[in-house]
Amino acid sequence: GGPASVYGPDAPRGPEGLLETGLPTLGICYGMQYMAHELGGRVEEGACEDYGSAKLLIKENTDIFRHLASGSQIDCWMSRGDLVLDVPLGFVPAASTPNTPIAAMFDRERKLYAVQFHPEAAHTQGGAEMLVNFVFDICGCQANWTISSFIEDKVADIRRQVGDGRLVCGLSGGVDSAAAAALVYKAVGDQLTCIFVDHGLLRAGEGEEVARTFRRDFHIPLVHVDARERFLTRLQGVADPEAKRKIIGEEFIRVFEEEAAKIPNVKFLVQGTLYSDVIESGTSTAEGIKSHHNVGGLPEDMELELVEPLRDLFKDEVRKLAGELGLPDDIIWRQPFPGPGLAVRIIGEVTLAKLHILQQADKIVTDEIKAYGLARQIWQYFAVLSDTRTVGVQGDKRTYGHLVAIRAVRSEDAMTADWARLPHDLLDKMARRIVNEVDGVNRVVYDISSKPPSTIEWE
């Protein structure tokens, strides 16, 4: 995958001669376009781009489609601009969508397979089975990776990296940082101290709840830092989302460095960075989408060396890891929350007044979805405070108030997401409560955008 075009000057290329080796090869999205272009097919810019859910028609149930009948239709997840119009010699078109005439192609003799859609996305029906068919049937691999073996390997890696050095861990209260802390503590014990920085951008009551939960369920030393005024001061007058992320990322590190200086021999900073954070922040082959505070927002002159034991995992794998490490359910299933907190759910400048409005609206959304019994079925749900003001009428008089958006999505790994089809009576209750109970808000909308082309967060 990726946003590049095979005709671009810096288009990513595979190793020379890869497609002639006879090794089983699967191209996905840009990988299909690259394969077609390299082997003599025709790739052009599509007259109509294809993003989000699409109907995939199976034309050849060969190999990776062997669990699907020819002529069957399934939902798949698309994200493309260019498309393959003619397959290379030896290839067979194997699937299509309404906007993509050739959505898959195979050359069984050379063991070359390609799909224009994303089988790795949870929204592709049978996508996991397609990957299983390729990895096990075509490539002949074995399934010998387990969470237990991952823990053993990472414990050894951490011990080699840190030796007898002391570590601090940036604890947010979410499953990522908690699992990272538990894994590092398993490796080095009391060499680790956790630091929870309350930057004032948390959900209502969350700072106190995180500190209370962590002290109740863990035995790792915890330092609780109240930095609310400090972060809000740094964010004054800042409206650009990337600038906000970088300011918050840098300020986190500065707080950690100051607290670490009070602990003898601290050399390392533990972070719960996931692979999705790395990809979205940009790599040598993946375009930056947004800078996660723990990746693209890090200052260049850091004094502490990073320890990131979860860097190769996605969220669903981290939750399995957390369960294996014995973390409690209220940590494992805590709502995913961005490192910059509510700063990237407030469009424009962050102020104390806006924070208060958003915290109230967000609590209503959270409480009502939990009361409806949907908390475990939805990946993420929250409120956003837009920078749009709208005219309304309340108490028989004109108002000019804020617009609040509700966002709820279904996902597996945060790399792709689809909007949750919430019941109308639930949406109605949330909207009525927000406009009646939150001063300054007179309009509520529901975000029905998928990722892509949108992201889960608004900033």
Side-chain angles (χ1 to χ4, degrees), residues 42-324:
R42 183 161 63 103
V43 179
E44 290 187 4
E45 182 179 351
C48 179
E49 295 179 336
D50 213 352
Y51 296 108
S53 184
K55 289 294 182 184
L56 183 76
L57 174 63
I58 305 299
K59 297 180 177 179
E60 293 281 341
N61 63 336
T62 302
D63 298 341
I64 68 169
F65 289 161
R66 67 178 178 81
H67 61 294
L68 300 167
S70 292
S72 60
Q73 275 197 339
I74 62 168
D75 292 324
C76 74
W77 202 253
M78 298 289 291
S79 181
R80 65 134 192 93
D82 292 356
L83 76 167
V84 175
L85 290 180
D86 292 319
V87 300
L89 189 64
F91 279 80
V92 175
S96 65
T97 74
N99 290 332
T100 306
I102 304 174
M105 62 181 194
F106 304 153
D107 183 336
R108 297 186 71 189
E109 186 173 335
R110 287 187 284 180
K111 299 180 181 177
L112 300 178
Y113 302 84
V115 294
Q116 184 58 66
F117 60 92
H118 287 269
E120 79 281 7
H123 312 288
T124 294
Q125 285 179 281
E129 287 87 346
M130 297 174 198
L131 297 177
V132 164
N133 294 341
F134 178 74
V135 170
F136 297 115
D137 295 346
I138 297 171
C139 297
C141 294
Q142 295 180 336
N144 53 17
W145 186 94
T146 65
I147 287 291
S148 296
S149 66
F150 173 84
I151 292 173
E152 291 176 11
D153 291 343
K154 283 300 174 183
V155 164
D157 289 345
I158 293 164
R159 288 172 178 166
R160 277 194 298 268
Q161 180 182 359
V162 307
D164 60 356
R166 297 290 301 276
L167 308 89
V168 289
C169 175
L171 187 76
S172 70
V175 65
D176 304 337
S177 60
L183 184 55
V184 171
Y185 188 74
K186 183 178 180 68
V188 298
D190 290 339
Q191 291 172 233
L192 173 68
T193 298
C194 286
I195 299 175
F196 170 54
V197 178
D198 184 349
H199 51 26
L201 307 168
L202 299 171
R203 293 167 286 202
E206 192 165 33
E208 298 78 9
E209 181 189 351
V210 167
R212 184 170 58 250
T213 300
F214 195 80
R215 289 192 169 112
R216 182 193 69 207
D217 296 315
F218 297 86
H219 305 290
I220 308 171
L222 174 67
V223 176
H224 186 176
V225 183
D226 185 348
R228 289 175 290 185
E229 185 176 346
R230 175 172 176 169
F231 276 82
L232 285 174
T233 299
R234 283 290 315 272
L235 290 169
Q236 282 181 2
V238 180
D240 179 74
E242 279 294 282
K244 286 193 282 189
R245 287 175 175 274
K246 291 181 184 296
I247 287 170
I248 293 167
E250 180 183 2
E251 204 63 22
F252 261 119
I253 297 302
R254 298 310 174 214
V255 173
F256 289 142
E257 288 174 343
E258 291 168 14
E259 293 301 321
K262 303 173 185 177
I263 305 170
N265 198 31
V266 168
K267 301 177 181 177
F268 303 93
L269 169 63
V270 180
Q271 293 197 138
T273 306
L274 305 190
Y275 193 52
S276 52
D277 300 336
V278 176
I279 294 171
E280 289 198 333
S281 296
T283 69
S284 60
T285 56
E287 184 170 300
I289 297 171
K290 56 187 178 184
S291 297
H292 288 259
H293 80 286
N294 53 348
V295 185
L298 295 175
E300 295 181 1
D301 59 341
M302 276 182 56
E303 297 176 5
L304 300 174
E305 181 179 333
L306 290 178
V307 177
E308 298 177 309
L310 314 182
R311 195 178 176 91
D312 295 327
L313 301 183
F314 287 102
K315 180 76 75 175
D316 56 328
E317 296 167 320
V318 172
R319 285 186 167 136
K320 292 176 184 175
L321 170 69
E324 188 83 10

Side-chain angles (χ1 to χ4, degrees), residues 6-29:
V6 292
Y7 298 109
D10 299 316
R13 297 177 57 82
E16 193 68 32
L18 170 69
L19 302 179
E20 309 297 338
T21 61
L23 291 171
T25 306
L26 174 62
I28 297 175
C29 192

Side-chain angles (χ1 to χ4, degrees), residues 367-426:
D367 289 350
E368 291 301 332
I369 285 180
K370 285 182 178 178
Y372 211 92
L374 294 176
R376 287 283 187 92
Q377 298 177 36
I378 302 172
W379 171 267
Q380 209 166 349
Y381 45 89
F382 54 89
V384 176
L385 182 61
S386 78
D387 57 355
T388 298
R389 303 289 291 273
T390 74
V391 173
V393 55
Q394 291 171 298
D396 294 330
K397 66 179 182 179
R398 180 186 186 274
T399 62
Y400 191 55
H402 291 280
L403 182 151
V404 164
I406 297 172
R407 181 74 158 144
V409 298
R410 299 184 187 277
S411 181
E412 292 289 338
D413 52 20
M415 294 304 298
T416 61
D418 198 12
W419 62 279
R421 275 61 172 174
L422 296 183
H424 288 183
D425 59 331
L426 172 58

